[in-house]
Amino acid sequence: MQLQQATAAGTAVRKPGIGRILQDTKYVFWREMLLVIRDPFSLIFSLVQPLVFLALFGPLLGAAVGVEAFGGESSLQWFLPGVVVMIALFGTSMTGSNLQYELMTGSYERILATPLSRSSLLIGRALKEWAPLVLQGLVIALASIPFGFVFYPLHVLFGLVVIGVFGIGLGALSYALALVTQGKEWVFWGVQQTLLFPLMILSGIMLPIEAGPRWMQVLSLFNPLTYMVNAERELFAGGLGWDTLWGVVAAVITAVVGLAVGVRVIKHSSL
Amino acid sequence: MIHTSKLTKTFTVKKEKIQAVKGVDIDVARGELVAFLGPNGAGKSTTLRMLTTLLAPTSGAARVAGVDVVADPAGVRSRIGYIGQGNGGGHSYRVIDELIMQGRFYGMNTTDARERADQLLKSLELQDLKKRTIIKLSGGQRRRMDVALGLMHSPTLLFLDEPSTGMDPQNRANLWEHIMRMRHEHGTTIVLTTHYLEEADTMSERVIVIDHGEIIADNTAARLKADLAGDLLAVEVSAAAAPEVRGLLGRAAAAGELEETAYDGVIRFRLRLPDGARLAPGLLRDMNDAGAPALRLELKPPTLDDVFLELTGRSLREGGKV
């Protein structure tokens, strides 16, 4: 039988490979983004939230810990990168929750039956949760300038890319969690929330981990998020050194592990 | 178009192994319209999911549209269309956006995808709902949207899993009209699962009956009915004529059972008669000649349910609940 004939007009059987994954990722990402484009209100809310958080928590932090804790810099310079990591953490760990909706109808299954590569499903969805962060990050950075924040655009941009790579890994894990807990949606939320807060606190996002007891400092070394926060703090302060390098390493490892787990779960999950 | 050998799927549920599909061999030629018929849990959908690469087989092999499902699942997926049991459109999306994205997923460019989407929306009578959000569509409209999604890339082989479950008769007829038209226009090969007997009977040319993970019959609906069931004949005669008729019908029924009920001085005989429509006139003549004329006669052609009953001893209508 001739294979070419089996393929419908207007479509082509494409070769697998990196180019294919990138192209598929673009389609998956774009489909997800259509939701934001068709309903831009959600984006406005997502911009207001971090601003409110920064405005209410920032001053408290400066007052409670004292300016000396931040090496004499504005507490914003220290705190703002943490907020960016936090938004990324909350956003990308929700990747699976948006999938749950599609799992309940048939639309996830319909998409699984298309030739889209499996990793592109994970990356595309995770990137959608990350994309608003670029805008959010820039808005809170600009809004903080009048309060003593020094803005290094290129460093900040690079910082957003690094957190994006980390977000792909976390998003893929969240996606896998949604598949594994299918039919028991509350389990997804239980696991996601239970993991989220210790990860967040032990990374020093909210308060400096150096101020905590020794055991917390040790635990924080095993938390990939710690390296993300440290890298972002260095970058947002206009630096580029070891912290950034370790952050990139942590982000890449998270992405590789997340995608490996995610693809495996997709292939072995039965709907 | 499809060739499987010893295709098997075993699920492990709570450490217990359940053989959902037990080594099925299926061959489907280009242009065929085949229905997998069987009760819920018979393994129809599991088979379909293996053929569409949504499930990996435990053992055995399958080639679909010339491609091996295990070696190149993405290759299979790019050559087939699949319309699942659920609604394929994302709830919060607009009809037109989902269709164009679907085309893109299959490697169509935006212009071709838009053109194809418009064409499908028109033929499925959805053109006025182009910008409607999918959650706002009615059940029938959503199902037609599923069909549109499945046909976006004009597949030459289309799988449908329980296409008309939950639809009212009018929508079901409407859906079939679209599927049949597409088939006549493009010669599409169609494989579907159904537990609606009438659907398998009237729509498909070939019926594969599946029960407990095995193929128990595979033929045209007409052949299955003629070979396995035969017509149901009911004759009513006066009590006086009963002994004569009992003898005549007893010989005609051969190995089959002759049922007998009596009411108001009338005896009602029932029997299954292979090729009954052809034999009935002769029987009536013999009864007349014997001075035992029929008062009333009923002849019912067999249904696929009768076939299933004959094959398994169970009725398909209550099969799902057993």
Side-chain angles (χ1 to χ4, degrees):
Chain A
M1 169 172 168
Q2 284 172 294
L3 298 188
Q4 284 314 309
Q5 275 189 346
T7 312
T11 70
V13 174
R14 293 170 303 155
K15 295 255 180 312
I18 294 287
R20 165 78 181 280
I21 292 177
L22 288 178
Q23 196 174 35
D24 286 352
T25 302
K26 188 180 83 185
Y27 297 146
V28 175
F29 172 74
W30 185 244
R31 177 173 181 266
E32 292 301 308
M33 284 308 285
L34 277 173
L35 287 178
V36 182
I37 291 165
R38 296 290 184 226
D39 195 5
F41 256 107
S42 60
L43 200 60
I44 293 172
F45 281 112
S46 74
L47 286 178
V48 173
Q49 275 168 6
L51 282 178
V52 170
F53 189 76
L54 207 60
L56 294 182
F57 197 81
L60 278 180
L61 182 78
V65 184
V67 182
E68 319 77 64
F70 310 111
E73 295 176 318
S74 153
S75 62
L76 271 176
Q77 205 75 35
W78 182 89
F79 186 56
L80 198 138
V83 172
V84 169
V85 175
M86 190 180 74
I87 303 170
L89 181 70
F90 278 93
T92 55
S93 70
M94 291 270 285
T95 304
S97 100
N98 292 335
L99 179 71
Q100 285 183 325
Y101 215 55
E102 301 221 314
L103 278 169
M104 284 186 255
T105 66
S107 65
Y108 178 66
E109 189 191 66
R110 187 257 304 174
I111 288 167
L112 270 192
T114 68
L116 289 175
S117 74
R118 277 30 190 158
S119 35
S120 73
L121 297 175
L122 298 163
I123 304 173
R125 277 183 180 267
L127 283 181
K128 180 255 176 170
E129 306 302 333
W130 167 81
L133 184 70
V134 178
L135 204 57
Q136 288 166 323
L138 292 177
V139 165
I140 54 175
L142 292 175
S144 304
I145 292 175
F147 303 97
F149 174 76
V150 189
F151 184 38
Y152 302 93
L154 284 178
H155 290 80
V156 168
L157 224 53
F158 182 61
L160 291 172
V161 171
V162 176
I163 197 83
V165 173
F166 175 79
I168 287 174
L170 193 66
L173 290 173
S174 168
Y175 190 110
L177 180 62
L179 283 178
V180 172
T181 59
Q182 200 188 339
K184 290 170 289 203
E185 279 68 30
W186 56 271
V187 176
F188 175 85
W189 292 111
V191 175
Q192 192 248 18
Q193 299 285 317
T194 309
L195 290 177
L196 206 60
F197 283 96
L199 276 179
M200 196 169 81
I201 293 165
L202 284 174
S203 69
I205 286 182
M206 318 280 289
L207 293 161
I209 201 82
E210 291 79 17
R214 181 86 191 123
W215 64 266
M216 279 184 97
Q217 291 177 18
V218 173
L219 273 183
S220 79
L221 293 178
F222 295 96
N223 181 0
L225 207 58
T226 307
Y227 300 95
M228 298 313 303
V229 176
N230 290 341
E232 296 300 320
R233 287 208 171 118
E234 189 174 73
L235 285 165
F236 273 63
L240 193 68
W242 285 108
D243 278 347
T244 307
L245 182 70
W246 283 118
V248 171
V249 170
V252 169
I253 291 176
T254 310
V256 169
V257 170
L259 287 176
V261 170
V263 169
R264 211 185 132 74
V265 170
I266 291 182
K267 288 194 172 151
H268 290 270
S269 70
S270 57
L271 297 170
Chain B
M1 219 46 171
I2 298 175
H3 174 77
T4 78
S5 65
K6 307 249 177 320
L7 198 61
T8 304
K9 183 72 199 180
T10 311
F11 292 109
T12 310
V13 180
K14 288 181 182 151
K15 288 183 183 165
E16 209 178 313
K17 289 212 162 161
I18 297 167
Q19 261 203 313
V21 178
K22 301 170 185 167
V24 297
D25 299 319
I26 299 170
D27 277 287
V28 176
R30 180 183 295 273
E32 273 197 286
L33 171 47
V34 181
F36 292 171
L37 176 72
N40 290 328
K44 318 182 288 284
S45 291
T46 306
T47 306
L48 204 70
R49 303 178 68 81
M50 286 193 278
L51 295 177
T52 53
T53 79
L54 290 171
L55 266 182
T58 309
S59 67
R63 288 183 81 77
V64 174
V67 182
D68 190 287
V69 294
V70 178
D72 185 12
V76 171
R77 287 196 292 270
S78 64
R79 289 170 172 86
I80 62 167
Y82 172 71
I83 299 172
Q85 290 186 17
N87 285 125
H91 272 180
S92 320
Y93 290 91
R94 291 183 185 180
V95 167
I96 185 72
D97 287 345
E98 277 288 69
L99 287 173
I100 290 175
M101 272 333 291
Q102 177 81 347
R104 303 286 280 151
F105 291 169
Y106 283 93
M108 297 170 80
N109 66 41
T110 315
T111 319
D112 287 349
R114 188 173 295 278
E115 207 171 290
R116 176 71 179 151
D118 281 334
Q119 188 189 333
L120 283 169
L121 288 173
K122 208 167 154 210
S123 89
L124 289 162
E125 290 155 47
L126 288 168
Q127 69 269 47
D128 298 335
L129 305 170
K130 223 171 145 168
K131 292 195 174 161
R132 190 74 60 88
T133 309
I134 286 163
I135 201 164
K136 290 184 184 146
L137 299 181
S138 74
Q141 289 166 342
R142 261 185 236 181
R143 207 60 187 134
R144 274 182 279 151
M145 171 66 183
D146 295 337
V147 175
L149 284 166
L151 297 181
M152 261 310 283
H153 61 297
S154 321
T156 46
L157 170 58
L158 181 66
F159 291 93
L160 300 110
D161 199 1
E162 307 272 353
S164 53
T165 298
M167 289 181 95
D168 59 50
Q170 196 192 340
N171 273 320
R172 200 184 300 173
N174 194 283
L175 174 74
W176 272 104
E177 199 189 300
H178 292 300
I179 294 174
M180 288 313 216
R181 193 193 319 148
M182 175 196 76
R183 182 166 180 251
H184 288 304
E185 284 169 9
H186 306 289
T188 314
T189 310
I190 298 175
V191 176
L192 64 114
T193 69
T194 183
H195 59 251
Y196 287 118
L197 295 153
E198 296 77 12
E199 198 164 86
D201 202 342
T202 53
M203 296 305 173
S204 30
E205 286 150 10
R206 182 174 152 202
V207 179
I208 296 179
V209 186
I210 300 181
D211 191 36
H212 297 309
E214 286 171 302
I215 294 179
I216 54 173
D218 176 358
N219 216 322
T220 63
R223 205 61 264 153
L224 286 174
K225 288 184 289 189
D227 291 354
L228 291 164
D231 303 288
L232 186 68
L233 179 73
V235 193
E236 291 179 10
V237 296
S238 65
E244 202 66 52
V245 175
R246 194 175 295 127
L248 271 172
L249 293 179
R251 250 167 285 139
E257 255 175 273
L258 182 64
E259 278 174 46
E260 212 176 306
T261 41
Y263 65 95
D264 299 339
V266 174
I267 311 289
R268 182 182 166 88
F269 293 99
R270 278 176 92 239
L271 73 156
R272 254 268 171 242
L273 203 57
D275 214 3
R278 203 174 54 78
L279 296 174
L283 257 177
L284 286 179
R285 218 177 307 120
D286 292 347
M287 284 163 65
N288 266 337
D289 292 348
L295 302 173
R296 218 170 154 269
L297 178 126
E298 257 174 58
L299 188 67
K300 248 198 296 191
T303 65
L304 284 174
D305 194 32
D306 299 323
V307 171
F308 193 78
L309 185 70
E310 179 63 32
L311 286 166
T312 66
R314 287 176 290 129
S315 165
L316 199 52
R317 293 191 193 281
E318 57 224 32
K321 287 166 205 137
V322 173

